[in-house]
Amino acid sequence: MNYSNKQRYEFVNSNSNPVVSSRVYVQLTSNNTILTLTDPEGKTLAWASCGSAGFKGGRKNTAYAAQTAADSLAKKAHKLGVSTVRVILKGLGKGRDMAVRGLVMGGLKISRLEDRTPVPHNGCRPPKKRRI
């Protein structure tokens, strides 16, 4: 088998009408940033992450990696015909601002920016004190 001539397949939704408005979910962790493009119903159209953008190890949790992943998702969105997005951020990470900037620099218009980061009201119960 000849592995040198691998073909790359890209998803292009040519049969259906272009999605004008959609959502981008940005999930930020301490190790990675994952961006998911969905239609208004919540079905995934495309996704990108810092790992899929080519970053490995400790470089995945940088702001530049988040911007690069957001830019690649914006290019995929343009191929699908998406022009306006609603961004939903979840989590605390280094690339919060740069992920949103990457979407704007990629040519997407942001209609709404939400923050759905889970915040504990009082947290878990701490372990009982040690008796010596």
Side-chain angles (χ1 to χ4, degrees):
M1 219 178 211
N2 189 1
Y3 290 105
S4 62
N5 295 331
K6 287 185 181 178
Q7 293 181 348
R8 300 194 93 201
Y9 297 100
E10 285 192 29
F11 172 72
V12 178
N13 195 0
S14 60
N15 295 337
S16 64
N17 295 330
V19 181
V20 177
S21 178
S22 62
R23 297 180 190 162
V24 174
Y25 291 90
V26 182
Q27 181 182 354
L28 299 127
T29 63
S30 58
N31 294 322
N32 204 358
T33 303
I34 302 168
L35 298 102
T36 309
L37 178 72
T38 66
D39 62 359
E41 297 174 1
K43 296 177 185 173
T44 302
L45 299 174
W47 63 273
S49 68
C50 297
S52 68
F55 295 94
K56 292 183 178 179
R59 283 183 258 149
K60 284 197 296 185
N61 64 347
T62 60
Y64 178 69
Q67 180 183 355
T68 308
D71 191 42
S72 68
L73 184 73
K75 289 177 185 174
K76 290 179 185 179
H78 276 296
K79 286 183 183 178
L80 294 171
V82 176
S83 59
T84 306
V85 293
R86 179 178 163 189
V87 179
I88 299 163
L89 296 166
K90 186 172 182 183
L92 299 171
K94 294 181 180 177
R96 277 174 77 91
D97 299 333
M98 293 305 284
V100 176
R101 261 188 220 159
L103 292 172
V104 172
M105 287 168 52
L108 295 176
K109 295 178 184 174
I110 296 176
S111 62
R112 181 184 280 182
L113 187 63
E114 289 183 39
D115 188 9
R116 291 190 188 169
T117 303
V119 178
H121 294 286
N122 203 7
C124 298
R125 182 174 175 162
K128 60 182 180 179
K129 298 208 173 178
R130 210 172 144 207
R131 287 177 283 196
I132 299 174

